[in-house]
């Protein structure tokens, strides 16, 4: 079964608007960590934000926030005030506590920010 | 400080040939990982080194793939002989010794391998 599911292959958003990228996960481990990475056209993977399974509050990093809904097993990334430079591929990922060496990634969402 | 670097950035080879990918992790990072993304699919774990030792190689697709990390510094991933289904982007990542759930892994820009 897929550990990480990203159902939006591509998304468009108008500059300065907010956008939500969906991510659902599947694990039976009570201890896990959720990550979002950005991959611009240059290819490198840039870490954006982290949420631990025991964290009580949603993680925030600047314009990025993670809408963590544990019961629904979702970890959506919210980007506020989109900028042209936000156009990139976005990957949701998870690590499980019993084997935290492995990242499980989704298939990614291609975000295009329109001027 | 230099990030994770991978070489080459692109490689086009014919089916049956051999290709070697190289990854230089961030200096001082004991953990080194290889991942692969086949076109349009998710990024999948291949293997994990701690220094020069293979900690987990459960993601290696078959014995045509050989990864090494001599001396615990850079790593190579050799594909011999290459098949069409090996095409994809190969990512390398590294992280510090105190590896836990929230330890950030730093990724390289990837090597795009095309087998024709």
């Amino acid at each position: 079964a897929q550990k990480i599911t990203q159902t939006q292959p591509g998304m468009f958003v108008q500059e300065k608007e907010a956008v939500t990228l969906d991510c659902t996960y599947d694990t039976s481990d009570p201890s896990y960590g959720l990550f979002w990475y950005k991959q611009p056209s240059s290819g490198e993977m840039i870490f954006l934000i982290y949420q631990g399974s025991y964290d009580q509050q949603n993680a925030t990093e600047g314009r990025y926030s993670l809408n963590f809904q544990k019961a629904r097993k979702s970890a959506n990334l919210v980007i506020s005030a989109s900028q042209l430079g936000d156009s990139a591929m976005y990957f949701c990922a998870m690590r499980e506590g019993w084997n935290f060496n492995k990242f499980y990634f989704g298939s990614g969402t291609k975000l295009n920010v329109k001027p | 400080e230099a990030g994770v670097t991978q070489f080459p950035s692109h490689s086009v080879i014919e089916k049956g040939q051999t290709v070697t990918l190289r990854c230089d992790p961030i200096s001082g990072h004991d953990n080194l990982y290889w991942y692969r993304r086949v076109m349009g699919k998710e990024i999948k774990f291949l293997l994990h080194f701690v220094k020069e030792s293979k900690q987990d190689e459960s993601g290696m697709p078959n014995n045509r793939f050989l990864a090494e990390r001599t001396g615990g510094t850079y790593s190579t991933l050799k594909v011999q002989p290459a098949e069409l289904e090996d095409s994809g982007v190969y990512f390398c990542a590294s992280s510090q010794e105190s590896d836990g759930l929230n330890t950030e892994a730093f990724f390289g820009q990837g090597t795009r391998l095309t087998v024709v």
Side-chain angles (χ1 to χ4, degrees), chain A residues 1 12 19 41 53 61 66 87 113:
Chain A
F12 283 92
V19 63
S41 56
S53 58
E61 289 286 348
L66 200 151
S87 293
V113 180

Side-chain angles (χ1 to χ4, degrees), chain A residues 4-9 22-24 36 90-92 105-109:
Chain A
I4 296 286
T5 303
Q6 294 180 255
T7 57
Q8 306 153 313
D22 294 342
C23 172
T24 57
W36 277 92
Y90 289 81
F91 291 97
C92 179
F105 284 89
S107 53
T109 295

Side-chain angles (χ1 to χ4, degrees), chain A residues 23-72:
Chain A
C23 172
T24 57
Y25 59 92
D26 181 27
T27 182
S28 56
D29 193 331
S31 178
Y32 53 89
L34 297 158
F35 300 74
W36 277 92
Y37 280 86
K38 173 185 178 181
Q39 186 189 33
S41 56
S42 51
E44 76 274 25
M45 298 276 279
I46 302 167
F47 166 75
L48 295 178
I49 196 166
Y50 168 81
Q51 179 87 43
S53 58
Y54 296 117
D55 293 344
Q56 295 296 312
Q57 295 189 332
N58 287 342
T60 60
E61 289 286 348
R63 294 186 299 110
Y64 304 108
S65 61
L66 200 151
N67 184 1
F68 182 43
Q69 298 192 39
K70 200 168 182 176
R72 294 185 179 184

Side-chain angles (χ1 to χ4, degrees), chain A residues 2 31-33 35 37 39 42-45 47 50 89 91 95-97 99-103 105-107, chain B residues 31 33 35 37 40-43 45 48 55-56 58 91 95 99-110:
Chain A
Q2 196 90 349
S31 178
Y32 53 89
F35 300 74
Y37 280 86
Q39 186 189 33
S42 51
E44 76 274 25
M45 298 276 279
F47 166 75
Y50 168 81
M89 183 72 81
F91 291 97
R95 273 172 152 170
E96 295 173 307
N99 185 10
F100 55 72
N101 296 314
K102 277 187 188 176
F103 275 105
F105 284 89
S107 53
Chain B
N31 293 286
Y33 309 84
Y35 289 84
R37 184 179 190 226
K41 300 286 184 65
E42 68 270 25
I43 300 170
F45 170 86
H48 169 219
Q55 190 78 7
D56 180 352
S58 60
F91 290 99
S95 66
D99 204 6
L101 271 177
N102 63 342
T103 302
E104 182 185 344
F106 297 84
F107 284 77
Q109 83 282 6

Side-chain angles (χ1 to χ4, degrees), chain B residues 62-105:
Chain B
N62 51 61
N63 59 11
R64 295 186 293 103
F65 288 75
L66 175 64
E68 294 180 325
R69 192 183 182 194
T70 307
T73 54
Y74 71 90
S75 175
T76 57
L77 179 65
K78 181 159 69 173
V79 186
Q80 179 183 27
E83 298 289 345
L84 298 178
E85 64 264 25
D86 300 332
S87 296
V89 180
Y90 290 76
F91 290 99
C92 176
S94 71
S95 66
Q96 292 180 331
E97 180 182 353
S98 54
D99 204 6
L101 271 177
N102 63 342
T103 302
E104 182 185 344

Side-chain angles (χ1 to χ4, degrees), chain A residues 68-86:
Chain A
F68 182 43
Q69 298 192 39
K70 200 168 182 176
R72 294 185 179 184
K73 293 191 173 179
S74 74
N76 299 339
L77 177 70
V78 181
I79 305 174
S80 62
S82 297
Q83 301 172 356
L84 296 178
D86 293 335

